[in-house]
Amino acid sequence: LTQRRTARTLQDYLHWQLNLTPFNDTDRAIATAIVEGVNEDGYLAASMESIIESTGDPEIDAEEAEAVLHRIQQFDPPGVAARDPRECLVIQLQQYPEEHPQLAYAIQLVRDHFELLAQQDHNQIKRQLKIDDDTLKAVSLLIRSLSPRPGTLVSELEPHIRNFSKRTQGRRIAFTRYV
């Protein structure tokens, strides 16, 4: 969290984590290209093909690039480097302990019935998942606790600077405060 607070951008924060993660040279090149392809909302905006091409290594295949992507998707903030909102939310849900009471339903809802979730079709969701109203409320609460734009979690923590001045014993004292 301290590093997240001092990172100027999401890219800086992801590069910091990348530098702490052991990668071989090929995987580091892929990881760097992936991090560079993440937009400010935290989504991977670059295609896997362009990421592979940007490494300049014709030996890299899609399977290897996907494996590196999955490692980057474990970085903080949760859900970063997802390719779409569904994948973003599933990544975040998969970071919960397996024992979480509504986790399986939440993952199933996001992964298999995302359109129903977006439409807030509660009756159809209950039918598809075979759950009651109370369970649906708990599942919905869990999903609403997630961040559909994980990149904003880094920029929102950037300190806001306020300059103050105060007159004390005839002297003006200026100071900066981080809030």
Side-chain angles (χ1 to χ4, degrees):
L1 185 60
T2 302
Q3 181 59 31
R4 190 193 296 179
R5 286 186 187 275
T6 59
R8 292 223 173 263
T9 66
L10 175 61
Q11 302 280 324
D12 293 341
Y13 187 48
L14 295 175
H15 277 291
W16 174 77
Q17 293 175 81
L18 188 150
N19 290 330
L20 294 175
T21 306
F23 285 107
N24 64 37
D25 291 341
T26 302
D27 289 353
R28 183 165 301 282
I30 297 167
T32 300
I34 289 170
V35 166
E36 292 300 320
V38 172
N39 66 25
E40 65 185 25
D41 286 335
Y43 285 95
L44 182 60
S47 70
M48 291 308 286
E49 294 80 24
S50 67
I51 287 168
I52 293 168
E53 283 178 25
S54 73
T55 65
D57 185 345
E59 304 274 320
I60 296 173
D61 62 10
E63 189 176 308
E64 184 176 8
E66 279 290 325
V68 174
L69 174 62
H70 291 297
R71 289 183 68 191
I72 299 298
Q73 288 175 334
Q74 298 309 306
F75 284 8
D76 187 59
V80 74
R83 291 166 278 202
D84 58 50
R86 179 188 317 226
E87 184 179 35
C88 177
L89 297 178
V90 168
I91 290 167
Q92 291 176 56
L93 287 166
Q94 289 172 335
Q95 292 184 8
Y96 275 84
E98 287 182 25
E99 308 82 47
H100 193 285
Q102 307 309 331
L103 184 61
Y105 288 128
I107 290 173
Q108 184 182 2
L109 177 55
V110 172
R111 187 182 308 148
D112 302 334
H113 307 288
F114 194 72
E115 295 77 24
L116 296 176
L117 179 64
Q119 296 165 2
Q120 297 183 6
D121 189 340
H122 299 273
N123 290 329
Q124 192 64 10
I125 291 170
K126 288 188 297 187
R127 226 175 278 126
Q128 292 293 322
L129 298 181
K130 298 175 177 61
I131 58 176
D132 59 22
D133 285 330
D134 291 337
T135 304
L136 178 58
K137 285 178 187 172
V139 168
S140 296
L141 187 63
L142 174 59
I143 292 171
R144 278 195 301 266
S145 73
L146 306 174
S147 177
R149 295 174 53 217
T152 60
L153 297 174
V154 173
S155 62
E156 287 173 358
L157 287 177
E158 229 174 87
H160 298 282
I161 300 171
R162 290 205 177 132
N163 293 311
F164 295 90
S165 63
K166 185 177 185 179
R167 192 172 286 278
T168 304
Q169 298 176 351
R171 295 179 146 165
R172 183 176 245 20
I173 300 171
F175 58 95
T176 301
R177 183 174 182 190
Y178 294 91
V179 291

